[in-house]
Amino acid sequence: MAQPTHVLAIDQGTTSTRTIAFDAQARPVATAQREFAQHYPQGGWVEHDPEDIWRDTLATLREAIAGSGVAADRFAAMGITNQRETVVVWDRETGAPIHRAIVWQDRRTAQTCADLHAAGHEALVSARTGLLLDPYFSATKVAWILDNVKGARARAEAGDLAFGTIDSFLLWRLTGGKAHATDVTNAGRTLLFDIHAQRWDEDLCALFRVPMAMLPAVHDNSHLFGTTAEGLLDAPIPIAGMAGDQQAALFGQACFEPGMAKSTYGTGCFMLLNTGSEAIASKHRLLTTPAYRLGGRMTYAVEGSIFVAGAAIKWLRDGIGVIDSASDTARLAESVGDDHGVTLVPAFVGLGAPHWDPDARGAIFGLTLDAGKAHITRATLESVAFQTMDLVEAMVADGADDLGAIRVDGGMAANDWLCQFLADILGVEVERPANIETTALGAAFLAGLATGFWADLDALSATWRCSRRFSPAMPAERRARLREGWRAAVAKTRTTARDRAD
Ligand SMILES: Nc1ncnc2c1ncn2[C@@H]1O[C@H](COP(=O)(O)OP(=O)(O)O)[C@@H](O)[C@H]1O
Ligand SMILES: O=P(O)(O)OC[C@H](O)CO
């Protein structure tokens, strides 16, 4: 066999699918990317067509291989990383999904979660899964499909249907239906997986009414999951790494030591803090989640999940048309004075951590007649930093040491204005790596480790480079005033949601 020279990573995100080819120095040598359709069948519902996702995955894989100029048999392996929690249920015989994928942002099961909460189930769920009863997670979405597609529940119980998050679905398709598996990080977002015992939990499956016969096998993140089916690519390539995208970003940022944190700004924003071999239960409504498992040894993280970050920028562009492109936002934000007085709370799909309020909806405060698109744009960027601030405060209140620095990545991290405002509001150093595609890199690292392409974590750490560091420069008094303004706006947003519900 030819000596491997490169590794591939598939990054299946909420709004786009991409494949990146990396060389042995972890440099991206070819990228292929496609945006795909979002379906909003009702208010608060969000769906994807799994066939779109599969079509784009295959197309970007072929394109990235061709674009790299590297022969397919020179790739040591590929890794898969994915939007987490999103649910696909498919027929084991035909491989056809029985419903569109229900996306992590979808709120249709809010009432089911409220009922389970009222019945007193949250303590058990949190103790075993590290999560909360929120429609964000997979279990209630799976049950919704089984209850709403005719005959599905009986077929699932008979073992004829398979459930998977996007990673499992892609693995199934890539291997021609040979492998039905996932990894601990994706399993750990379903509400069905005991993150301490590290196995599917019978009680939780019964509580959420998900038949165990439809669940995938769960493996380490660095593991030989399967090999691409004959004829799919010019040569079969092993699939040897898998992780949910936020955990992959933590890995790609080389946050391997307890106390190291990263924050990823894509559609949403997700901040993960490595807590080592200890699963720390949050007292401030953060999540406890598997960070990665290598050689059977689990590393955990504490996570703050924010549902809307880049999605608000997309809304500025596609929803209300105040910008032509995401890259306009920094210039517009700079054009507004510091004391502009506008606050935007982007609770478009409720609020995630640390509030977990599925009924909250977006709001803008402080409008005056001179407020224009620049004010709204600036307030939108600021809201992303303020939400991160809420997460950091919750982590510190949970006993985390004061964070000296956070590593940022994701599409929005390209925005210098945002990175500086983030450093100012958090009062910590913000480090942006040379490669902000850390999600894909993390998946590539996992696949490369499994196949010996990279030797160990030290070899991976050695590839991490900071390209720009943003240091806090805002006077403490101004920071305190802005923080206060944000808290008041969030409180008003939540009161309005409660008033509407009454
Ligand atoms: N310069 C920028 N300023 C602000 N937001 C940006 C910028 N560039 C990209 N974005 C936003 O980042 C998001 C894309 O990031 P990405 O990491 O690709 O997301 P995902 O993986 O969730 O699909 C989009 O929502 C886009 O609006
Ligand atoms: O698509 P992203 O990058 O915003 O990530 C989505 C998260 O995995 C949802 O939990």
Side-chain angles (χ1 to χ4, degrees):
M1 194 190 139
Q3 184 66 20
T5 55
H6 289 74
V7 178
L8 285 161
I10 297 165
D11 176 5
Q12 204 303 298
T14 311
T15 58
S16 74
T17 304
R18 62 197 138 210
T19 299
I20 304 185
F22 292 94
D23 67 13
Q25 283 74 45
R27 290 176 304 215
V29 298
T31 300
Q33 176 165 1
R34 301 207 172 178
E35 279 201 27
F36 63 99
Q38 308 289 310
H39 299 276
Y40 306 111
Q42 290 187 27
W45 292 29
V46 189
E47 296 180 350
H48 291 160
D49 185 338
E51 297 297 355
D52 288 351
I53 288 178
W54 168 240
R55 179 201 59 211
D56 292 352
T57 299
L58 194 54
T60 60
L61 251 179
R62 289 175 174 159
E63 230 177 278
I65 295 173
S68 69
V70 176
D73 64 358
R74 290 298 198 107
F75 286 94
M78 70 171 74
I80 303 176
T81 180
N82 55 293
Q83 51 167 323
R84 305 166 303 167
E85 300 97 14
T86 299
V87 162
V88 188
V89 176
W90 67 93
D91 184 316
R92 287 187 193 275
E93 188 67 31
T94 63
I98 64 161
H99 192 275
R100 282 208 288 237
I102 303 185
V103 177
W104 59 276
Q105 297 158 314
D106 191 290
R107 316 263 89 198
R108 79 186 63 183
T109 58
Q111 191 55 49
T112 311
C113 292
D115 293 346
L116 288 166
H117 193 274
H121 293 297
E122 188 160 83
L124 171 85
V125 168
S126 287
R128 295 206 184 155
T129 67
L131 310 175
L132 298 159
L133 277 171
D134 189 273
Y136 171 35
F137 305 106
S138 314
T140 55
K141 298 179 199 295
V142 184
W144 189 95
I145 292 180
L146 299 184
D147 290 337
N148 285 276
V149 176
K150 201 162 174 278
R153 185 164 285 286
R155 291 172 65 209
E157 273 157 11
D160 296 339
L161 298 180
F163 151 66
T165 37
I166 297 291
D167 52 307
S168 301
F169 175 67
L170 290 181
L171 177 71
W172 175 279
R173 286 283 172 103
L174 285 165
T175 59
K178 285 213 175 81
H180 183 211
T182 188
D183 71 274
V184 288
T185 67
N186 275 297
R189 311 296 291 193
T190 57
L191 286 176
L192 303 171
F193 187 73
D194 181 331
I195 61 169
H196 311 286
Q198 299 172 33
R199 55 163 186 257
W200 296 118
D201 188 280
E202 236 174 285
D203 298 334
L204 294 174
C205 289
L207 180 68
F208 290 106
R209 303 167 49 250
V210 174
M212 294 186 89
M214 67 191 306
L215 301 177
V218 185
H219 300 296
D220 279 7
N221 296 95
S222 215
H223 171 84
L224 184 57
F225 287 89
T227 301
T228 56
E230 206 58 51
L232 206 59
L233 305 170
D234 288 343
I237 300 179
I239 301 148
M242 203 185 258
D245 56 7
Q246 303 309 322
Q247 284 87 344
L250 186 78
F251 207 78
Q253 287 272 30
C255 291
F256 301 136
E257 298 298 327
M260 293 179 82
K262 71 87 205 182
S263 199
T264 300
Y265 297 90
T267 302
C269 158
F270 301 86
M271 182 167 175
L272 271 74
L273 171 72
N274 184 324
T275 62
S277 55
E278 219 184 324
I280 295 176
S282 170
K283 293 191 181 65
H284 298 87
R285 301 185 70 71
L286 299 172
L287 308 173
T288 310
T289 201
Y292 47 87
R293 195 175 77 189
L294 302 174
R297 287 191 49 216
M298 186 79 105
T299 296
Y300 293 92
V302 166
E303 172 177 325
S305 325
I306 298 169
F307 299 146
V308 171
I313 305 297
K314 197 167 150 58
W315 170 76
L316 291 178
R317 189 192 65 186
D318 305 339
I320 57 171
V322 302
I323 54 169
D324 293 326
S325 137
S327 56
D328 297 344
T329 53
R331 184 182 45 76
L332 281 168
E334 270 162 25
S335 73
V336 178
D338 279 352
D339 289 315
H340 58 88
V342 179
T343 308
L344 182 143
V345 181
F348 298 100
V349 291
L351 285 170
H355 312 289
W356 299 103
D357 188 344
D359 298 319
R361 288 296 175 265
I364 304 180
F365 299 94
L367 292 177
T368 53
L369 283 175
D370 70 333
K373 58 185 186 179
H375 295 72
I376 303 214
T377 301
R378 176 159 171 160
T380 305
L381 285 180
E382 288 182 353
S383 74
V384 173
F386 286 134
Q387 293 184 98
T388 312
M389 172 189 88
D390 288 342
L391 302 182
V392 171
E393 285 183 348
M395 284 181 185
V396 171
D398 269 342
D401 291 336
D402 274 340
L403 299 169
I406 57 168
R407 296 182 171 187
V408 295
D409 53 71
M412 268 191 106
N415 189 313
D416 290 351
W417 189 91
L418 173 66
C419 292
Q420 183 56 51
F421 189 74
L422 195 58
D424 286 342
I425 279 298
L426 301 182
V428 303
E429 300 284 320
V430 168
E431 296 175 339
R432 186 170 65 195
N435 176 9
I436 59 170
E437 293 287 358
T438 53
T439 300
L441 184 58
F445 278 170
L446 290 164
L449 272 184
T451 48
F453 186 74
W454 284 299
D456 52 26
L457 296 186
D458 288 342
L460 304 181
S461 290
T463 67
W464 191 88
R465 299 265 176 283
C466 182
S467 84
R468 185 151 172 202
R469 176 183 282 266
F470 299 83
S471 301
M474 186 182 279
E477 175 273 325
R478 186 169 135 66
R479 183 186 304 145
R481 198 156 29 88
L482 288 175
R483 286 180 178 214
E484 247 351 280
W486 167 253
R487 280 199 198 97
V490 170
K492 274 186 248 166
T493 304
R494 299 190 62 196
T495 318
T496 312
R498 274 197 299 277
D499 290 348
R500 212 183 34 235
D502 288 344

